[in-house]
Amino acid sequence: MTRGLFITLEGIDGAGKSSHIDALEALFRERGRTVTRTREPGGTPLAETLRTLVLNESMDSLTESLLVFAARREHVLDVIEPALARGDVVLCDRFSDATFAYQGAGRGFDLGVLSTLEQWVQGGRSTRPETLLQPALTLWFDLPPEIAAARLAGARLPDKFEAQPVAFFQRVAKGYADRAAGAPRFARIDANQPREQVWQQIESKLRERGLA
């Protein structure tokens, strides 16, 4: 049976990652793969309920982090792991890297605590560290926060993260850069380019990894 493939799309709000997930899905379907498309926080009914709370309600940073990881646990067990076991390509709009970037770097929450939660939650049905679920490829849409803010301005009613000042997104962007520095699975996409050129970069990264 074809092995499952887990790909995540990461980046600050306004980086344009969500606008390319349709094309990614179409690319893999054209190659005969079954695709499971999902997002975080979210992906299950319970996780979507928690998403609404996380994106809209004011709360302590620990509470926020716990809710994000609670949603992720349900998502991993009910959606991601079963899809990978079936041999699907799983395309996920954000995963745990976003938590380290937003709650960790953005909010200033303890990275050590986040790492512990990551081990607990992404161990699937096992708590052994060697079974930690991580993407095979993370497409990181890197965009200067000032440009992202200009893209978001007036687009729609912002959630509590999108409404944050540029300084917050500067910290988040650095959080992503720090996370990428220690993880070969990251593929940086220069998102400060026209849409067609961004897609060309994505296709190139997939070819480099033997995934397209």
Side-chain angles (χ1 to χ4, degrees):
M1 186 178 72
T2 303
R3 294 181 59 186
L5 176 62
F6 187 21
I7 298 176
T8 56
L9 293 82
E10 296 280 1
I12 62 175
D13 292 281
K17 58 184 175 48
S18 300
S19 66
H20 290 280
I21 200 166
D22 286 340
L24 266 175
E25 181 178 2
L27 183 149
F28 282 106
R29 290 193 185 279
E30 287 170 3
R31 284 157 175 73
R33 298 297 298 269
T34 300
V35 177
T36 293
R37 176 172 163 175
T38 189
R39 68 177 182 176
E40 287 217 347
T44 73
L46 175 56
E48 290 291 335
T49 298
L50 295 177
R51 175 189 178 89
T52 299
L53 293 174
V54 168
L55 295 187
N56 297 287
E57 300 295 331
S58 177
M59 61 187 71
D60 173 74
S61 59
L62 174 57
T63 303
E64 187 174 275
S65 299
L66 290 171
L67 287 178
V68 168
F69 273 109
R72 181 165 298 130
R73 179 67 175 180
E74 294 298 304
H75 192 206
V76 166
L77 295 182
D78 293 351
V79 177
I80 296 175
E81 283 192 333
L84 292 174
R86 292 192 303 266
D88 291 6
V89 174
V90 177
L91 301 177
C92 191
D93 189 343
R94 293 207 171 109
F95 194 58
S96 57
D97 297 309
T99 309
F100 283 82
Y102 277 79
Q103 280 72 42
R107 298 283 197 219
F109 189 69
D110 191 300
L111 295 179
V113 173
L114 294 181
S115 294
T116 297
L117 291 170
E118 182 183 41
Q119 293 288 338
W120 289 353
V121 167
Q122 290 160 235
R125 299 189 186 277
S126 169
T127 56
R128 294 178 299 165
E130 62 268 24
T131 66
L132 184 69
L133 175 67
Q134 290 286 16
L137 172 66
T138 296
L139 297 169
W140 168 37
F141 292 73
D142 188 20
L143 183 72
E146 298 79 6
I147 296 175
R151 288 183 180 180
L152 288 171
R156 57 186 171 86
L157 185 65
D159 61 41
K160 75 177 188 183
F161 291 101
E162 293 168 338
Q164 292 294 314
V166 171
F168 173 82
F169 288 105
Q170 290 172 337
R171 297 193 298 272
V172 172
K174 184 178 185 305
Y176 272 123
D178 291 345
R179 186 83 166 160
R185 62 183 168 80
F186 269 79
R188 179 183 176 273
I189 304 296
D190 180 2
N192 191 22
Q193 300 290 334
R195 182 186 178 94
E196 295 77 11
Q197 292 181 26
V198 172
W199 176 246
Q200 288 172 6
Q201 293 178 67
I202 294 170
E203 287 187 304
S204 175
K205 298 297 183 183
L206 291 172
R207 285 194 298 270
E208 287 173 9
R209 308 289 176 111
L211 301 176

